[in-house]
């Protein structure tokens, strides 16, 4: 893990042995995986210092050097803060992971909408004295709960976007599905496209986008004719888990859009765990999101089994 600390608009990194010998060019492009356009911007705007003087981007760094990067200067507030208590699972100077409740949009779907989790995170940043530039890296459906990752500045957002695309951010879900899942584990590989007969529904379609869901049976409840499964995604299609399990003949409890019964008040889907390598410090991050439904939807469950 790389040591770093915030100093106003700047973030200072103490160069350890694993980064010694690398140039700033290599640090941004190869170690951090920063986009060329943003790397060029930091270089041209002189937003990087080494040992408090203007950096030479092609000079090797030495162990003990202090690299200061202006991540936070001149950031405009892009999201209107709205009062909300957010359940923070992890936070540092660059990223924040929060536990999303049900009945809440991840982000505004219309310009005037402000009652979303994104607005709530902006409020959290505001009241804790931070720059309120924030952007979601992925999303959850309105009635899906659990861990969501947000970025606090454009560079880390761009790196995380690339990590998500390259499947370097692992998202593990738990779901209650109808019926008895026969296989202890399996993979659903079925393309997903829009349902032309319904504005919001998706369906398995030969002409849809490639979609892969892996799953593992946690426990079967025969008396209630339902199964608790954990699943993780290789792709991130809209409603992917809901569509795939409905396609298998095991729709999620409460998911009436895809054939589930209405025995619970929402689709029984929860983003229980988020795992990734920190894009800048390279620390291993693992966040577990407890279920918070009232009344309870999921049975008592030991999250260490995920």
């Amino acid at each position: 893990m790389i040591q770093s600390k915030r100093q106003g608009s700047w973030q200072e990194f103490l160069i350890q042995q694993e980064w010694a010998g690398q140039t700033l060019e290599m640090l941004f492009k190869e170690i951090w995986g920063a986009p060329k356009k943003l790397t060029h911007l930091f270089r041209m705007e002189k937003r990087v210092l080494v040992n408090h003087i203007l950096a030479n981007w092609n000079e090797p760094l030495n162990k003990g050097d202090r690299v200061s990067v202006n991540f936070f200067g001149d950031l405009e507030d892009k999201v209107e803060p709205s009062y909300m208590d957010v359940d923070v699972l992890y936070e540092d100077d660059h990223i924040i992971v929060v536990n999303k409740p049900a009945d809440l949009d991840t982000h505004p779907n219309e310009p005037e909408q402000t009652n979303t989790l994104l607005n709530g995170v902006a409020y959290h940043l505001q009241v804790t004295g931070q720059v309120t530039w924030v952007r979601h890296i992925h999303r959850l459906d309105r009635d899906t709960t659990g861990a969501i990752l947000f970025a606090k500045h454009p560079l880390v957002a761009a790196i995380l976007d690339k990590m998500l695309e390259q499947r370097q951010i692992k998202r593990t879900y738990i779901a209650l599905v109808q019926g008895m899942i026969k296989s202890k584990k399996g993979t659903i590989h079925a393309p997903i496209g829009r349902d032309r007969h319904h504005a919001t529904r998706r369906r398995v379609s030969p002409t849809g986008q490639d979609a892969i869901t892996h799953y593992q049976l946690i426990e079967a409840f025969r008396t209630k004719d339902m199964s608790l499964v954990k699943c993780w995604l290789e792709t991130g299609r809209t409603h992917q888990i809901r569509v795939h399990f409905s396609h298998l003949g095991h729709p999620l409890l409460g998911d009436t859009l895809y054939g589930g019964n209405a025995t619970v008040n929402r689709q029984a889907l929860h983003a229980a765990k988020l795992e990734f390598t920190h894009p800048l410090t390279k620390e291993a991050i693992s966040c577990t999101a407890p279920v918070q439904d009232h009344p309870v939807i999921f049975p008592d469950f030991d999250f260490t089994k995920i």
Side-chain angles (χ1 to χ4, degrees):
M1 186 180 109
I2 301 302
Q3 298 178 31
S4 71
K5 62 180 179 179
R6 176 86 176 266
Q7 296 179 325
S9 296
W10 298 77
Q11 188 84 21
E12 182 181 274
F13 296 88
L14 180 64
I15 299 302
Q16 306 293 326
Q17 185 61 46
E18 59 262 42
W19 284 6
Q22 307 284 343
T23 65
L24 284 175
E25 195 81 25
M26 296 164 68
L27 174 63
F28 270 71
K29 292 184 178 179
E30 296 178 19
I31 296 177
W32 287 347
K36 291 182 180 179
K37 185 176 180 180
L38 274 177
T39 299
H40 180 73
L41 181 69
F42 274 77
R43 187 171 188 168
M44 292 299 100
E45 293 187 353
K46 300 178 173 55
R47 293 166 62 181
V48 183
L49 307 176
V50 175
N51 298 324
H52 309 296
I53 62 174
L54 190 62
N56 180 337
W57 280 65
N58 296 310
E59 185 175 313
L61 298 167
N62 299 304
K63 182 181 178 181
D65 280 348
R66 298 182 181 275
V67 174
S68 300
V69 184
N70 189 336
F71 291 122
F72 307 97
D74 302 322
L75 290 182
E76 296 180 8
D77 295 352
K78 295 182 177 293
V79 180
E80 181 179 342
S82 291
Y83 172 77
M84 190 182 302
D85 288 326
V86 294
D87 181 13
V88 178
L89 302 174
Y90 175 86
E91 182 176 12
D92 63 24
D93 294 321
H94 311 282
I95 61 178
I96 180 170
V97 181
V98 300
N99 190 5
K100 176 187 170 299
D103 195 31
L104 184 68
D105 288 327
T106 299
H107 57 83
N109 296 306
E110 299 175 353
E112 66 274 13
Q113 186 180 4
T114 60
N115 59 334
T116 75
L117 185 60
L118 185 66
N119 302 101
V121 173
Y123 176 79
H124 166 81
L125 298 182
Q126 184 185 67
V127 298
T128 52
Q130 303 179 62
V131 176
T132 56
W133 192 102
V134 62
R135 189 166 71 77
H136 62 285
I137 300 304
H138 56 104
R139 63 180 295 276
L140 294 175
D141 296 337
R142 180 178 178 85
D143 282 332
T144 298
T145 57
I148 301 187
L149 173 62
F150 295 85
K152 293 186 179 182
H153 58 80
L155 182 65
V156 82
I159 298 171
L160 288 169
D161 281 342
K162 186 176 180 181
M163 290 173 61
L164 188 68
E165 181 182 341
Q166 295 178 345
R167 302 172 185 173
Q168 295 173 1
I169 299 175
K170 184 178 180 181
R171 295 169 286 167
T172 303
Y173 297 77
I174 58 171
L176 269 174
V177 304
Q178 293 176 201
M180 297 292 101
I181 296 287
K182 295 179 181 179
S183 302
K184 289 189 175 180
K185 60 181 179 179
T187 296
I188 310 168
H189 192 173
I192 293 174
R194 290 183 177 274
D195 187 335
R196 60 183 178 180
H197 303 295
H198 195 288
T200 59
R201 192 163 53 202
R202 301 296 192 271
R203 65 186 181 92
V204 168
S205 168
T207 59
Q209 294 178 297
D210 192 40
I212 302 173
T213 303
H214 304 286
Y215 69 89
Q216 181 177 328
L217 177 65
I218 296 173
E219 188 172 355
F221 302 90
R222 294 190 179 278
T223 58
K224 296 183 178 180
D225 192 33
M226 65 183 189
S227 303
L228 179 64
V229 297
K230 74 172 182 179
C231 35
W232 54 100
L233 310 178
E234 284 197 31
T235 53
R237 309 305 176 204
T238 300
H239 299 177
Q240 179 172 319
I241 293 173
R242 300 165 64 188
V243 173
H244 272 172
F245 278 98
S246 178
H247 179 66
L248 279 189
H250 296 284
L252 274 61
L253 266 68
D255 192 1
T256 56
L257 183 63
Y258 292 104
N261 61 42
T263 54
V264 295
N265 60 9
R266 68 174 181 90
Q267 68 258 13
L269 182 62
H270 178 70
K273 196 171 187 179
L274 191 63
E275 300 168 275
F276 58 97
T277 299
H278 194 289
L280 298 180
T281 67
K282 300 306 177 182
E283 178 185 4
I285 306 295
S286 179
C287 299
T288 300
V291 175
Q292 298 179 324
D293 291 295
H294 299 287
V296 172
I297 291 177
F298 292 93
D300 286 340
F301 175 65
D302 182 359
F303 278 82
T304 62
K305 294 181 180 179
I306 295 179

